[in-house]
Amino acid sequence: MSIEVGSVLEGVVTGITNFGAFVELPGGKVGLVHISEVADVYVRDVKDFLKEQDKVKVKVLSVDERGKIGLSIKQLQAPAPKKPANEVRRPGNRVNSLSFEDKLNKFLKDSDERLSDLKRNTESKRGGRGAARRAE
């Protein structure tokens, strides 16, 4: 059986390495599913997704002149729905959103509170010298 680029085959995982998994295809040929072609998400360890003797469907990505076969499992999976790049979520679309002035006032209040806490903590770490001198 000849293996052609783009064809979908079923094979058995025969070995797992840190860079991918070897899959035995029909006809006894062996191809490699690179770690980047195992899943649609980040794969730290191939063993988290595959184990030896697993039956997997693979897509043939490449066959080079030396007979090396590049395979993919990821390309057979339905892609995860992605948000369009031009669609930006705007918080102002919420029903009970704050006006700009309200947001600004809230920011200023929070900022003042943080600044006063920071000053209080800094003075206490200095031994209260700043506060003691002012009292004189």
Side-chain angles (χ1 to χ4, degrees):
M1 174 183 178
S2 71
I3 296 174
E4 298 174 12
V5 174
S7 60
V8 177
L9 304 168
E10 190 165 313
V12 178
V13 177
T14 57
I16 295 179
T17 66
N18 58 350
F19 56 84
F22 289 97
V23 177
E24 184 174 345
L25 302 170
K29 295 196 176 195
V30 176
L32 173 70
V33 178
H34 188 264
I35 190 169
S36 64
E37 293 294 333
V38 170
D40 218 10
V41 295
Y42 176 73
V43 178
R44 179 181 297 268
D45 188 358
V46 178
K47 293 175 186 166
D48 293 339
F49 292 83
L50 299 171
K51 60 183 187 296
E52 290 192 28
Q53 304 307 313
D54 275 356
K55 287 189 178 194
V56 292
K57 280 194 171 199
V58 293
K59 179 178 181 180
V60 179
L61 298 180
S62 64
V63 180
D64 72 6
E65 62 277 352
R66 294 180 294 175
K68 287 186 178 181
I69 304 169
L71 304 171
S72 174
I73 296 172
K74 174 171 80 171
Q75 292 189 17
L76 292 177
Q77 298 170 346
K82 295 181 180 178
K83 287 185 180 179
N86 60 356
E87 183 180 307
V88 179
R89 182 173 180 217
R90 289 185 168 60
N93 293 343
R94 286 187 240 142
V95 175
N96 57 358
S97 66
L98 300 172
S99 70
F100 175 75
E101 288 79 17
D102 292 338
K103 288 179 184 179
L104 183 61
N105 288 334
K106 183 179 183 307
F107 170 79
L108 289 173
K109 180 183 171 200
D110 291 345
S111 180
D112 286 342
E113 288 175 1
R114 288 181 183 172
L115 190 57
S116 64
D117 287 344
L118 182 63
K119 285 180 182 176
R120 203 174 314 121
N121 288 338
T122 305
E123 288 173 1
S124 67
K125 288 181 183 174
R126 291 182 183 164
R129 290 184 304 208
R133 287 184 185 158
R134 288 186 201 127
E136 293 176 9

